[in-house]
Amino acid sequence: MSDSAAFQEVDEAVRKDELREWWDRYGTWVVAAAVAVVVVVAGLVGWRQYDAGQRAEASVAYSTALAKIATDMPAARAELEKQAAGAREPYRSLAELIVAQLRDTLDEQVAALVAVGPKLSSPELADLAAVIAALKSVDSPKADEMAARLEPLAGPDRPFRISVREVQALAAVRKGDAKRARELWGEIAKDPGTPQGAAQRASAMLNLYAAAEAK
């Protein structure tokens, strides 16, 4: 055997001894760490599946309760109140929003919407609660007050700005302020983000005013 081959065998033996010694000392921890990683990954996957399942169940329950409103109002209200107390988001907030609108009188509905808005899970839902409350108030003595409260929600980055302008235009019509109503319908018609339905309503109202002025 050559000197180089002998040295190589000795070197390999030393390495094996060192590896065995290292494994005897740290092998248990390596296995434990590997098992921990597997457990964590499995847990995350399992939680995501569980969470998705829970959300799916909440979605079905919410949709089922909504469908009952037309046929069995008391049962629908009871189910939605239960969801509003403890369902997973966003269904808890959505249920709260609907429950507020199922109050017995219009005044009670408006008061409930105003109260529940800040408690909802997202700023968008809070904005929606305010818009619905103002829309329900259009024919009430509080119409001007409620429409004015919507002004901060009419900014270009707010999701319900078109609905805000529509409510404000309706309030102006009820008040007899045709000039302000036309201005608001005009803003809606010119906004590139206006949905087709709202754009058609705005155009129809502007045409109506134009025809009335032409007479």
Side-chain angles (χ1 to χ4, degrees), residues 7-213:
F7 280 121
Q8 185 175 354
E9 284 191 9
V10 171
D11 184 60
E12 288 179 357
V14 170
R15 289 181 182 273
K16 287 179 182 179
D17 289 340
E18 290 178 347
L19 179 60
R20 187 178 297 109
E21 182 182 352
W22 183 91
W23 181 258
D24 290 341
R25 181 178 299 179
Y26 301 110
T28 302
W29 296 104
V30 172
V31 173
V35 170
V37 170
V38 172
V39 170
V40 169
V41 171
L44 288 174
V45 172
W47 169 252
R48 287 172 183 169
Q49 292 175 344
Y50 171 80
D51 187 58
Q54 292 292 302
R55 289 182 185 277
E57 289 180 8
S59 175
V60 170
Y62 175 73
S63 300
T64 301
L66 287 184
K68 287 184 179 179
I69 290 176
T71 59
D72 192 348
M73 177 67 77
R77 181 181 296 179
E79 289 185 21
L80 287 165
E81 287 176 347
K82 182 179 179 181
Q83 293 174 29
R88 299 183 71 82
E89 293 292 3
Y91 301 102
R92 182 195 65 79
S93 292
L94 291 172
E96 281 195 287
L97 196 57
I98 299 300
V99 167
Q101 297 176 69
L102 297 181
R103 297 295 180 92
D104 294 329
T105 69
L106 196 62
D107 286 343
E108 289 176 341
Q109 292 173 21
V110 171
L113 286 164
V114 171
V116 81
K119 303 176 184 178
L120 300 180
S121 61
S122 71
E124 292 79 11
L125 288 177
D127 286 2
L128 181 58
V131 171
I132 296 173
L135 180 60
K136 288 178 176 291
S137 303
V138 163
D139 289 319
S140 76
K142 294 183 178 180
D144 287 345
E145 174 190 345
M146 296 296 291
R149 290 174 63 176
L150 292 180
E151 189 58 35
L153 312 185
D157 60 334
R158 303 306 284 263
F160 298 106
R161 66 181 186 279
I162 302 303
S163 297
V164 167
R165 291 309 186 201
E166 285 196 278
V167 172
Q168 291 177 329
L170 289 173
V173 170
R174 299 296 190 275
K175 189 178 178 181
D177 190 347
K179 180 180 178 181
R180 178 57 177 160
R182 284 197 304 272
E183 290 175 353
L184 290 165
W185 292 121
E187 287 184 25
I188 295 170
K190 293 177 182 177
D191 192 319
T194 299
Q196 183 177 1
Q200 291 173 345
R201 289 192 295 273
S203 296
M205 294 302 297
L206 291 171
N207 291 335
L208 181 63
Y209 283 117
E213 292 175 355

